[in-house]
Amino acid sequence: MFNPLNAPPQGVEMLKSPPREIDEAEIDQFVQAVMRQEAAAPKPRKTLPEIAPAVPEAAASEESEERKPRYQPKWRHSAAILALALLIGWPGLLVALLGLAVVVPVIAYLTLGHDRASECVAAAFARFRRLDPVRAEILRGWAMRRVAGVERVLSWLPERWTSGLYLPDLRDTPVSHDKMRLDPFSRFQAEQAETPDAG
């Protein structure tokens, strides 16, 4: 039978405990005692849940050795990416840089003059040769091949067009003896001065 009020069935008497009278002071004392107990009890520290199980150090070191190193771009790759980005962003910049690469050496050559510019280039190459002789020889061979190519092109042109043009000689100068470094006439005069006159 449906009992919406949850009333006791008919004919059954409910057992009731005798009513207790509780004073508000007792309630306050009880609440204070519970609060003291909670304050005295050590509180568990809140920790973040573990996302991954803890791995022992030995296993972690083995995994790091087995794992391939991440790709670190070389400076050449970074420079190429930067140059490509600049070329895409500012296409006129490439034309300006190429123009500067041609104009600046010409201005330096005209400002310094032929002799001083040749001395500067020779000194720079000698310094580079001391630092890295293998690359210096590779660079010298490359320059000699370029000069030979220019000479072949100039041989097709009329002689009056190329009469005053002198290309650099990049071959090593042969080592000369001390006697050959002196002017032969001054050497002859020195020898004549040393020998006493026969008369």
Side-chain angles (χ1 to χ4, degrees):
M1 179 177 174
F2 183 65
N3 188 2
L5 299 177
N6 201 12
Q10 294 177 354
V12 176
E13 289 187 15
M14 297 293 293
L15 296 175
K16 293 182 181 179
S17 58
R20 290 181 61 189
E21 293 193 15
I22 300 175
D23 189 13
E24 288 197 16
E26 290 181 15
I27 294 174
D28 288 341
Q29 289 176 358
F30 181 75
V31 169
Q32 287 177 3
V34 169
M35 289 175 68
R36 281 193 213 102
Q37 286 177 356
E38 286 183 359
K43 293 181 180 178
R45 296 181 72 185
K46 292 183 179 178
T47 57
L48 294 174
E50 281 193 21
I51 297 172
V55 181
E57 292 183 9
S61 62
E62 289 175 4
E63 286 181 11
S64 63
E65 289 175 2
E66 292 174 2
R67 203 178 312 148
K68 291 182 179 179
R70 294 179 61 191
Y71 172 70
Q72 293 291 330
K74 297 180 181 177
W75 68 269
R76 292 177 184 172
H77 298 167
S78 301
I81 291 169
L82 179 63
L84 185 62
L86 289 174
L87 180 63
I88 292 171
W90 297 285
L93 185 64
L94 178 65
V95 177
L97 289 176
L98 289 176
L100 278 175
V102 172
V103 169
V104 168
V106 170
I107 291 174
Y109 179 79
L110 294 176
T111 304
L112 295 174
H114 174 72
D115 295 336
R116 182 72 182 131
S118 300
E119 289 174 7
C120 290
V121 170
F125 183 74
R127 191 177 306 118
F128 178 59
R129 194 176 202 173
R130 280 195 307 272
L131 294 175
D132 195 351
V134 175
R135 287 190 180 178
E137 286 302 314
I138 292 171
L139 180 63
R140 192 170 68 88
W142 176 85
M144 288 175 67
R145 288 191 297 274
R146 298 289 86 77
V147 169
V150 171
E151 285 177 350
R152 281 195 300 273
V153 171
L154 292 178
S155 66
W156 298 339
L157 298 175
E159 190 174 334
R160 59 189 171 98
W161 291 4
T162 61
S163 60
L165 184 63
Y166 298 103
L167 295 174
D169 185 17
L170 301 172
R171 292 174 294 196
D172 281 334
T173 55
V175 178
S176 60
H177 298 290
D178 292 337
K179 286 186 177 181
M180 298 304 291
R181 289 180 188 164
L182 297 172
D183 184 22
F185 294 107
S186 62
R187 191 178 73 216
F188 179 71
Q189 287 176 353
E191 287 176 359
Q192 288 295 326
E194 288 176 4
T195 58
D197 289 337

